[in-house]
Amino acid sequence: MNKVLVILALGLSVSFVAQAQNIYRSTDAQGNVVFTDNPERGGEEVDLKPLTVVPSRGGVREGEPPAVIDGGGSSGGTSAGPGQPFMPYDSFTILSPRQEETLPTGAAGNVQVALGIQPNLREDHRVRLLVDGRVSQTAMHTDTFMLNNLNRGEHVLQAELLDANGAVRHRTSPVTLYVQRASVNLPQNPNNPGSN
């Protein structure tokens, strides 16, 4: 008996799937066009072309290599060259300094900020660096910035990627940097408490 019920349920589900693939078009009394998947309501069958499905670039299945977009140019970057529509970058991050890194007194408040940009930065795109929410340096075609003479204390670094029109298209996650500097208020070197 159970086998009969399973076969009957399977047969019904197959017939529902077959019906769901057919769409019927009719016109009601007010002249409105009505589409339905129920053939009992009448109407003529509509021939639907198959949909084109493009998988997203976001997910990579385990064991599969990530998709590579060939730009066809010397930049080795995105699939769109200068003047072409904007294509997103797979990665845009601050590589160094690391999150909550401390810049020692001997660095005198100077630090190099290195960005990770994948694919490579397009020729018509620029990057600018923000320190504590303010633009520190104008937008340039680079992945490295040099910050000089930062004040002691906590600073938040963030980079923005601008397209050819100057619109911000990507922002890195903020990175907190702690800067140690010698102070006239401290009579001794904080790195060597035993000195006078």
Side-chain angles (χ1 to χ4, degrees):
M1 182 70 178
N2 287 341
K3 288 183 182 180
V4 172
L5 288 175
V6 169
I7 292 172
L8 181 60
L10 185 60
L12 285 174
S13 64
V14 169
S15 69
F16 286 136
V17 169
Q19 276 187 344
Q21 293 176 352
N22 297 331
I23 302 295
Y24 302 92
R25 175 184 168 177
S26 62
T27 307
D28 66 10
Q30 288 79 29
N32 299 318
V33 177
V34 178
F35 292 94
T36 182
D37 61 353
N38 186 351
E40 295 173 4
R41 292 188 175 180
E44 69 180 69
E45 188 173 341
V46 178
D47 182 30
L48 297 176
K49 297 187 181 350
L51 294 175
T52 303
V53 178
V54 179
S56 70
R57 294 179 357 152
V60 176
R61 292 189 185 112
E62 189 174 320
E64 284 185 8
V68 176
I69 301 174
D70 182 10
S74 60
S75 67
T78 62
S79 61
Q84 297 299 313
F86 182 84
M87 295 297 289
Y89 288 81
D90 295 330
S91 174
F92 183 61
T93 60
I94 295 178
L95 298 177
S96 72
R98 293 180 312 277
Q99 176 69 350
E100 297 188 352
E101 185 173 327
T102 298
L103 195 62
T105 302
N110 301 328
V111 64
Q112 180 176 321
V113 180
L115 305 177
I117 306 172
Q118 290 296 324
N120 294 333
L121 189 62
R122 274 180 27 180
E123 288 299 320
D124 58 340
H125 290 175
R126 301 286 180 263
V127 179
R128 69 183 176 196
L129 188 64
L130 307 178
V131 178
D132 300 326
R134 293 185 301 273
V135 175
S136 167
Q137 297 174 10
T138 57
M140 298 185 287
H141 187 269
T142 185
D143 62 358
T144 307
F145 291 91
M146 189 67 193
L147 291 175
N148 296 311
N149 202 25
L150 285 174
N151 292 329
R152 66 186 313 204
E154 178 181 316
H155 297 281
V156 177
L157 310 179
Q158 194 170 23
E160 293 181 330
L161 190 144
L162 286 67
D163 65 12
N165 298 322
V168 175
R169 293 303 191 119
H170 291 288
R171 277 190 187 92
T172 64
S173 296
V175 170
T176 301
L177 174 68
Y178 301 105
V179 178
Q180 292 181 344
R181 298 288 300 266
S183 171
V184 295
N185 296 326
L186 293 176
Q188 58 188 18
N189 184 342
N191 293 331
N192 188 6
S195 67
N196 288 323

